[in-house]
Amino acid sequence: MQPQIRAPQKAHPFLPPRGPGGKSVLTGGLDALEFIGKKTMNVLAESDPGFKRTKTLMERTVSLSQMLREAKEKEKQRLAQQLPDERTVHYGLLFDEYQGLSHLEALEILSNESESKVQSFLASLDGEKLELLKNDLISIKDIFAAKELENEENQEEQGLEEKGEEFASMLTELLFELHVAATPDKLNKAMKKAHDWVEKDQSIVSVDAAEESEEKTKKEVKEENPELAKEDKKEERTVEEVCKLSIESLAEVTARCIEQLHKVAELILHGQEEEKPAQDQAKVLMKLTTAMCNEVASLSKKFTNLLTSVGSNKKAEVLNPMINSVLLEGCNSTTYIQDALQLLLPILQVSHIRISSAKAQP
């Protein structure tokens, strides 16, 4: 009788193999995905009907960067056919200039790779181990789903008063709770720049309104001092300039939010100084993105208020489209942040599997 030949044992899919010189190398089981196909996606769905909604949400989110890139290319073609004086600011072009699109695409890649690893690992289990893992992964998903619903219900009531140093302090604390070595310096800088210019412009408008009854005296002073009149004229923006700067600020802040979430995702997968349960990290990420969305909503409200003040002498058919444009881009900004958050779900699930597998090793 011939002896049986045993196949070499495969490396654990969620424990990084040792590379040359003892360096850990994280590798994905993407080749196995073609063999597994769609079957493994049903493993969670069998015991959790709500998973289908999350999967649909995830698939819609994955195409977000492609949608934005196509819109950007169409706008570039349209602008190329216009005269320089006729060109208007476009959110998508500015979002890409601030590297928002690049970070979103990178986050999508991490999310897709993580989802593939989750599917591969689920397909390798059965019995009690499979049931236990399914319950853990569903509990992480439920945190995302519950918080998403809560944010939709309370979006207008939450945190619209957070600003400046308070917002910066909150972000730093939440990132510390995640146990990742990330600092929100670029995001805080973009937020501060946006708040600063709109508050400065609003103060100029308020002063002008308060002194309207003394306009005659003010005019006489400026006639005596032409330099002062020139300086005042330089500081005041037109309603068109306010609209353009508002959309530019929303694009920059949103790009920095996506960049921050991308960095967090990378650190969760590859660079945590201290492992933290994925369920706890999911709760912190909910707070983090809620703070981002509330801050964007606060900025959008300030921009539209300023537009209303600066354009008080404009006709409704001129002013209203500008206000609607800023409101629309503000809503789009919060949607992009919320969609980016959904991309972190499989990343947290992979992190949980990796930590659990490491603890199970003798």
Side-chain angles (χ1 to χ4, degrees):
M1 182 176 179
Q2 294 183 348
Q4 291 183 346
I5 300 175
R6 297 183 63 184
Q9 189 174 2
K10 293 184 179 179
H12 198 287
F14 287 94
L15 290 180
R18 307 300 292 181
K23 182 179 179 182
S24 291
V25 182
L26 287 167
T27 58
L30 294 178
D31 293 338
L33 182 61
E34 294 181 5
F35 173 75
I36 294 170
K38 297 181 180 179
K39 182 177 179 181
T40 52
M41 286 300 293
N42 296 326
V43 176
L44 282 177
E46 288 173 0
S47 59
D48 178 28
F51 178 73
K52 292 182 178 179
R53 178 180 178 277
T54 303
K55 179 174 177 285
T56 302
L57 228 176
M58 207 178 302
E59 288 172 344
R60 177 179 67 83
T61 305
V62 165
S63 63
L64 177 59
S65 66
Q66 182 179 357
M67 178 190 72
L68 290 174
R69 188 169 291 283
E70 289 174 355
K72 186 199 77 170
E73 293 302 324
K74 287 180 180 178
E75 183 63 16
K76 284 177 69 175
Q77 293 175 6
R78 187 183 71 83
L79 291 176
Q81 298 173 355
Q82 291 182 325
L83 297 173
D85 293 342
E86 297 175 344
R87 293 177 185 175
T88 56
V89 65
H90 188 261
Y91 180 98
L93 295 175
L94 294 167
F95 182 73
D96 186 42
E97 284 182 16
Y98 288 112
Q99 288 86 48
L101 194 53
S102 298
H103 286 289
L104 180 60
E105 288 173 334
L107 181 56
E108 287 174 353
I109 291 172
L110 289 179
S111 184
N112 289 336
E113 289 177 348
S114 296
E115 186 182 354
S116 299
K117 291 179 181 181
V118 171
Q119 294 175 25
S120 299
F121 193 72
L122 285 171
S124 70
L125 299 179
D126 55 21
E128 185 179 358
K129 289 184 178 181
L130 177 60
E131 289 302 316
L132 289 173
L133 181 58
K134 282 197 297 184
N135 290 335
D136 287 346
L137 299 185
I138 289 171
S139 70
I140 298 171
K141 184 270 300 180
D142 285 344
I143 294 171
F144 275 67
K147 278 294 181 181
E148 182 188 5
L149 181 60
E150 180 182 331
N151 289 341
E152 289 175 358
E153 293 175 348
N154 302 328
Q155 186 174 7
E156 294 184 0
E157 301 176 6
Q158 294 178 352
L160 291 180
E161 298 304 319
E162 295 290 351
K163 58 182 180 180
E165 294 180 0
E166 294 178 5
F167 177 72
S169 176
M170 181 192 300
L171 282 187
T172 302
E173 289 176 7
L174 290 173
L175 290 171
F176 180 78
E177 285 186 45
L178 282 173
H179 290 186
V180 294
T183 56
D185 296 341
K186 293 172 75 173
L187 174 54
N188 285 339
K189 184 177 179 181
M191 285 288 192
K192 185 178 184 304
K193 185 173 76 171
H195 278 292
D196 285 351
W197 79 257
V198 72
E199 288 171 4
K200 179 182 177 182
D201 281 29
Q202 189 66 63
S203 66
I204 294 173
V205 173
S206 300
V207 168
D208 288 347
E211 296 180 349
E212 188 174 353
S213 60
E214 303 175 7
E215 188 62 34
K216 184 177 179 181
T217 304
K218 186 177 179 181
K219 184 178 179 181
E220 292 174 355
V221 172
K222 289 184 177 181
E223 287 175 353
E224 295 175 2
N225 191 344
E227 291 298 323
L228 180 60
K230 185 178 180 181
E231 181 180 344
D232 284 355
K233 187 176 181 181
K234 182 179 179 181
E235 286 184 355
E236 295 175 1
R237 300 184 210 273
T238 65
V239 66
E240 291 81 8
E241 290 171 338
V242 170
C243 181
K244 290 180 180 180
L245 194 52
S246 297
I247 292 176
E248 180 179 349
S249 295
L250 286 171
E252 180 181 8
V253 167
T254 306
R256 297 301 177 223
C257 287
I258 302 298
E259 179 180 0
Q260 192 71 60
L261 292 175
H262 172 215
K263 288 183 178 179
V264 166
E266 286 186 326
L267 290 169
I268 288 174
L269 287 174
H270 307 316
Q272 290 188 84
E273 297 177 352
E274 179 184 351
E275 301 290 3
K276 185 180 180 74
Q279 288 88 345
D280 292 342
Q281 286 186 317
K283 293 174 183 177
V284 177
L285 281 171
M286 299 305 108
K287 295 178 183 178
L288 182 68
T289 51
T290 296
M292 290 176 174
C293 289
N294 286 340
E295 194 67 5
V296 168
S298 176
L299 278 174
S300 181
K301 184 177 180 181
K302 285 186 176 183
F303 294 153
T304 54
N305 288 342
L306 179 59
L307 272 171
T308 302
S309 299
V310 175
S312 59
N313 60 342
K314 296 285 186 179
K315 293 183 179 179
E317 55 265 29
V318 174
L319 182 61
N320 287 346
M322 296 183 189
I323 293 176
N324 291 338
S325 179
V326 172
L327 286 173
L328 175 62
E329 299 305 356
C331 290
N332 286 341
S333 294
T334 56
T335 299
Y336 299 157
I337 294 169
Q338 290 164 356
D339 284 352
L341 169 66
Q342 293 299 320
L343 292 169
L344 277 101
L345 174 56
I347 290 169
L348 285 181
Q349 291 175 329
V350 161
S351 176
H352 172 76
I353 293 173
R354 187 184 66 239
I355 294 171
S356 301
S357 299
K359 289 180 179 178
Q361 292 296 306

